[in-house]
Amino acid sequence: MAEPILEFDDVDIRYRTDGDDVRAVNGASFAIDEGDYFGLVGESGCGKSTIADSIVGGLDDNGEVVSGEIRFKGEQIQDYSESEFNENVRWKEVSVIPQSSMNSLDPVMKLSEQAVEMAKYHTDLSRPAALDRLRELFDVVGLSESRISDYPHQFSGGMQQRAIIAFALFLQPSLIIADEPTTALDVIMQDQIMDYINGLKDDWDVSMLLITHDISLVFENCDSMAVMHGGQIAETGTVDDVFDRPRHPYAILLQNAFPDVRFPDRELAVIDGHPPQLRDEVDFCTFADRCPWAEPACREGAPPATPVAGDDDHLAWCVRAGEMSELAANHLERSTESTSILEGGQ
Amino acid sequence: MSDGAPVLELRSLEKHFDTTSGITETIRNRLVGEGPKLVRAVDDLNLTLAENQVQGVIGESGCGKTTLLRTIIGLYDPTGGEMRFHGRPTSEFTKDEWKEFRRHVQIVFQDPFNSLDPKFSVRRTLAEPLEIHGIDYDRTDIEEMLESVGLTPASQYIQQFPNQLSGGEKQRVAIARALITEPDVILADEPASMLDVSTQAEILNLLNELTDEFGVSMVYISHDLSTVSYICDHINVMYLGRIVEKAPTRALLADPKHPYTQALIRSIPIPDPHYDREQATIGGEPGDPIDMPEGCRFKNRCPERMDVCDETPLDVAPDGDGDREVACHLYYDHEERAGAEPKPAASDGGERP
């Protein structure tokens, strides 16, 4: 079994405000094994980007990890200072592919200059060596080497996103955080970018944290995953675990709400209501108000991590996880009766 | 309705934008004898919307689908072609008829966070169109409409302002606002794309029910084929201003004909880790709508490219299937058609032999 490269152990993250604090992440625990691609799925506001920010010390000024441990390669990093993050984590070990590449490249600087600057601060590469490296990486992501001295605006959205991937690889990080890397792109371009991201797995020694609202990207590209709702992790396990045996009601309903082009006649599940505001202490299941199977116990304490089928790597944070296979039997029946309509055309 | 004419019919509709900026450029163009540079956002587009039908239009960003919507609603004047509403060309409309048209053709925008007036209560949001069109109403009418879009109890929602509503509730109000004038046609511009997955399902299901219940037709525009397939009877695939393929939804998904449609469908990620998706093989990005290639607009990305692709493809019925139409050289015998005019009047939506 590979060692975890990143571990979250019962982490709470809060944002201080003038009124009540916002408890953005509560009791989050998960682990990413070395070399694995890990998907973190959830709806907007569920805390998934806060988790990403906390790994590189990028929380807003009023945000703070108030308890729990974040370990990177076994080392606790939750209390690192700015300079410690710069020294030990950012870029060199962990790099980020942000959502909107259009805003994350410096518009008045040639891409080559941006690479040289990065090399200057983090490595002892000479200028020609840095440019060589960038050329090599442009090749990896399918951009023409001759374009390294272009300005960002000369690139289309998809090309900018590929340039960002090249930058993310520049210092050979061991973990890449991709925060909605394809959300701004059209489906054909998304497919190409995900292909490049997937290809990295073979040639680079790198792990990935893929943050997205799109559960299909996670199922296609990741090894393991976590589903988040309202600041809590609902379920974590391998993608096969979560697909074949989801045991948290949200993980179950989310999958049924997701359109699948293979089955256009299937009724989409609807999840009523919305997540709570998280202004008070979160000592309850944040999905309880939306859950068709909630019982009083769900509101009496934060749900415990329950191993599914005795597997300690597949956890559901639900008091009724053990009963779910019966309770949600209707929802767990996959559309095996209706066959995919795509097969015929291929 | 008037003698079986389709509710809405677009014939060779065209909307070009002039990119000439400023007088100097205009003069220079005159002197050099060049025409202005045009963005051909919508070009030779045919679409027939029958009663109770839901037509989907899908395409990547920049393919002209929003321009199409704005041209239909009358925000842009078409630069060519014809639009008919219940058989009458809109170009002949008087001012009063335009007003009437706008009552019967309503729009639901993509972004519910910006399309509702923040200072209007839900009651006023729904009353406004009724007042503009001089339709009598009372509070019950508004409450009933709110109930039918699932905002129950209506008496609770009617006083609220947009900032008190969630994204899904806002979009429901926007849908109620569109339905309250009893329109014939709803134009929906990606109404679910800004919403979270759980809410998106809610809005898609709602639109499905309402189009049946109120008997309205809908043009549903989106870039996301997987949501479109839940809601539309027919899908039109748009590429750089033209419709390259139209077919009933299931037929299109199960057996896409145009190489672009095939690529679109094969690029959709499937929410199933056990499914081994055959990936699309096309590269590149949509071209520039200003300098479009001669002939087929997709040819530079097309895996099936042939020499003949330098000529504009005809809209043909693949395999003789009258319900479908595809603009691709792969699907007809060129010699047989050699005598035919370069662009047949193939605008009557599948009625050709």
Side-chain angles (χ1 to χ4, degrees), chain B residues 99-112:
Chain B
K99 192 172 169 191
E100 195 60 20
F101 173 80
R102 291 202 174 104
R103 173 185 166 176
H104 290 296
V105 181
Q106 290 286 334
I107 193 162
V108 178
F109 290 100
Q110 179 172 14
D111 180 359

Side-chain angles (χ1 to χ4, degrees), chain B residues 46 55 64 78 97 131 172 235 239 242 252 284 292 298 310 324 338:
Chain B
N46 299 302
Q55 288 272 8
E97 280 175 308
E131 278 164 18
R172 283 167 190 265
I235 293 180
Y239 187 76
R242 290 198 66 184
L252 186 97
M292 267 186 295
F298 185 64
D310 292 334
R324 312 186 57 159

Side-chain angles (χ1 to χ4, degrees), chain A residues 187-216:
Chain A
V187 54
I188 292 178
M189 188 52 67
Q190 162 171 295
D191 204 36
Q192 290 173 22
I193 297 284
M194 287 316 297
D195 242 15
Y196 286 117
I197 289 182
N198 244 328
L200 303 180
K201 201 187 251 174
D202 305 329
D203 307 330
W204 300 71
D205 208 3
V206 69
S207 314
M208 173 93 56
L209 171 61
L210 174 69
I211 294 180
T212 178
H213 67 280
D214 188 339
I215 205 168
S216 59

Side-chain angles (χ1 to χ4, degrees), chain B residues 4-56:
Chain B
V7 186
L8 191 72
E9 198 181 357
L10 310 176
R11 294 186 178 175
S12 304
L13 191 77
E14 178 189 293
K15 175 65 196 172
H16 292 176
F17 294 98
D18 187 348
T19 61
T20 316
S21 57
I23 191 160
T24 35
E25 210 176 320
T26 313
I27 293 172
R28 195 195 70 90
N29 282 347
R30 282 280 163 78
L31 291 177
V32 186
E34 262 177 25
K37 278 204 161 177
L38 295 175
V39 177
R40 292 184 276 171
V42 174
D43 209 15
D44 190 22
L45 187 139
N46 299 302
L47 184 75
T48 308
L49 182 67
E51 248 175 86
N52 289 331
Q53 199 180 34
V54 182
Q55 288 272 8

Side-chain angles (χ1 to χ4, degrees), chain A residues 43-44 156 159 162 186-192 195 213-217 219-220 239-240 243-244 254 257-271 274 290 341-346, chain B residues 59-61 166 169 196-202 204-205 223 225-227 229-230 250 253-256 260 263-275 277-280 282-285 301:
Chain A
E43 299 178 65
S44 41
S156 71
M159 289 163 74
R162 279 187 263 173
D186 282 311
V187 54
I188 292 178
M189 188 52 67
Q190 162 171 295
D191 204 36
Q192 290 173 22
D195 242 15
H213 67 280
D214 188 339
I215 205 168
S216 59
L217 289 180
F219 281 149
E220 284 202 342
V239 292
D240 289 352
F243 180 80
D244 294 332
L254 185 68
F258 208 88
D260 184 337
V261 73
R262 294 174 299 167
F263 310 112
D265 298 329
R266 203 188 64 192
E267 181 94 355
L268 295 179
V270 168
I271 307 174
H274 28 84
R290 310 177 75 184
I341 68 163
L342 290 190
E343 311 290 311
Q346 294 193 8
Chain B
E60 293 174 273
S61 40
S166 71
E169 288 168 341
D196 277 318
V197 178
S198 58
T199 330
Q200 168 181 308
E202 210 177 289
L204 292 175
N205 290 343
H223 69 282
L225 195 50
S226 53
T227 59
S229 58
Y230 281 92
R250 291 185 132 266
L253 293 176
D255 185 17
Y260 178 63
L264 268 186
I265 292 174
R266 286 182 191 158
S267 300
I268 301 171
I270 301 290
D272 179 350
H274 306 306
Y275 186 77
R277 178 161 62 91
E278 186 184 325
Q279 279 191 305
I282 73 166
E285 300 173 35
R301 301 169 78 186

